[in-house]
Amino acid sequence: MRSHALLAALILLLSSCNAERAETQNTSAGDYADVLANADAPANGGDANMAASGTESNGTVENASAGGDAIYCEAVDRDTSASECQRFTRERANLQAGLGVFEAPKEMMLGESRDLILSVGKKANVEEVHATVGQDRAKHVEITTQVGHYMTATLAGGGFDITPSGPQPKTLAADRSEVWQWRIKAKEEGPQKLMLTISVDAEEADGSRSRYDLESKTFDIAVNVTDSERRARRAQNIKKDMDSGTAVLGGLEKLLIALAAVVVALGGVWIAIRTFGKKKDAEKPKGDDPKKG
């Protein structure tokens, strides 16, 4: 009986040890799996979360856009995100050969107003571009330019009032044709210059624009005056001179009158002083003649 009891105790002890070993192995395997999972998390989920938030562990903020960090973009000659650079590069590659047609007068009269038109289109559509400006092609000036989806035209000249003023941006349709129109008024006499610029643009995400390409053309315009205007201007200048002289003479006249009044006043004071003593002597009573006594 004693041997059976010892054998049973031994079997029970061995079973307990095996169960504990199995539990320890299971626990170690589970912990190891957790460690592996945690080790993978920073490399996958951790970095993904940081990329989504745009923040690294050192606190520096990275570009959270799809393009990632800024890179140099040759299409616009500056740094942009990779996705923007792809778009700019694609847009620039799709620019087409085109032309602008413009007609500026050789002469204008002072105060005269004119409407000026710029027509832009594909070079293949040259006839349509000219027809938009007018029938007299001998007066048209062609400006070679590329055409794209976004373009801007500007007309400037110090001797003219120009409406509208400043850069005039437009968005072109698929046919890449567009028209700009200005009204100019000559305000200064003599030789004047008018400058036209045409640019093909890249549009930023915020709506602002930068240039892909720029073309410009300068026009010389002689601003004249008629003989009647010249005579009227001369008469007006004479009148101004006379009004100025009259004002000067009027001032001198007032000054002389004031001086005369002062002189008269001073003369009156002097006469009063001279006659004051004589009046006193005349008013004294006459005494008896001493000889008569």
Side-chain angles (χ1 to χ4, degrees):
M1 292 294 292
R2 181 179 299 176
S3 61
H4 287 294
L6 291 174
L7 182 59
L10 181 60
I11 292 171
L12 182 62
L13 180 62
L14 290 174
S15 299
S16 177
C17 290
N18 289 334
E20 184 177 356
R21 182 181 299 173
E23 183 179 356
T24 301
Q25 289 177 349
N26 291 335
T27 303
S28 299
D31 292 342
Y32 184 66
D34 291 340
V35 170
L36 290 178
N38 291 332
D40 290 340
N44 298 322
D47 284 350
N49 292 335
M50 283 191 292
S53 63
T55 307
E56 289 184 345
S57 57
N58 61 1
T60 58
V61 177
E62 296 293 334
N63 191 342
S65 66
D69 293 341
I71 61 172
Y72 173 73
C73 186
E74 185 177 0
V76 289
D77 191 27
R78 59 180 177 80
D79 290 344
T80 67
S81 67
S83 61
E84 284 181 323
C85 188
Q86 290 176 357
R87 178 171 64 86
F88 292 148
T89 303
R90 183 173 62 254
E91 285 181 359
R92 186 160 192 173
N94 290 330
L95 297 180
Q96 301 177 50
L99 77 159
V101 175
F102 187 76
E103 179 184 343
K106 297 293 185 182
E107 293 183 342
M108 290 182 67
M109 301 306 297
L110 186 67
E112 180 185 0
S113 295
R114 293 267 189 109
D115 289 328
L116 302 184
I117 294 175
L118 166 68
S119 178
V120 170
K122 296 178 183 179
K123 197 168 186 179
N125 302 330
V126 58
E127 296 299 329
E128 290 86 347
V129 177
H130 275 278
T132 304
V133 176
Q135 299 301 320
D136 193 355
R137 291 190 57 165
K139 296 181 179 180
H140 295 178
V141 176
E142 289 189 4
I143 305 170
T144 301
T145 180
Q146 292 181 302
V147 290
H149 189 48
Y150 304 107
M151 299 189 71
T152 300
T154 306
L155 191 65
F160 305 90
D161 289 326
I162 301 175
T163 306
S165 61
Q168 301 301 310
K170 287 183 180 289
T171 301
L172 279 64
D175 62 357
R176 295 296 185 261
S177 64
E178 189 55 85
V179 175
W180 284 260
Q181 182 171 349
W182 295 271
R183 173 165 280 261
I184 67 170
K185 181 178 181 180
K187 65 178 184 179
E188 293 183 15
E189 182 184 357
Q192 306 296 332
K193 288 189 179 296
L194 196 66
M195 176 172 282
L196 173 67
T197 59
I198 307 170
S199 68
V200 189
D201 306 328
E203 187 170 74
E204 311 290 342
D206 61 359
S208 62
R209 293 189 179 188
S210 56
R211 287 200 306 259
Y212 287 133
D213 189 39
L214 177 69
E215 299 293 338
S216 64
K217 182 71 177 178
T218 301
F219 303 89
D220 294 322
I221 301 177
V223 178
N224 304 315
V225 296
T226 62
D227 291 338
S228 59
E229 289 176 337
R230 192 174 286 108
R231 286 194 297 270
R233 185 182 300 177
R234 188 181 300 114
Q236 187 177 8
N237 291 335
I238 292 173
K239 184 177 182 301
K240 287 182 179 179
D241 292 340
M242 291 180 64
D243 290 342
S244 177
T246 301
V248 172
L249 291 176
L252 289 174
E253 182 181 3
K254 291 178 181 179
L255 179 60
L256 291 175
I257 292 174
L259 288 175
V262 172
V263 170
V264 171
L266 290 175
V269 172
W270 176 251
I271 293 172
I273 293 173
R274 292 291 303 270
T275 59
F276 179 76
K278 294 179 179 180
K279 288 181 179 181
K280 288 291 185 180
D281 293 340
E283 292 175 355
K284 288 181 180 180
K286 296 179 180 182
D288 297 334
D289 191 357
K291 293 182 179 180
K292 291 181 179 182

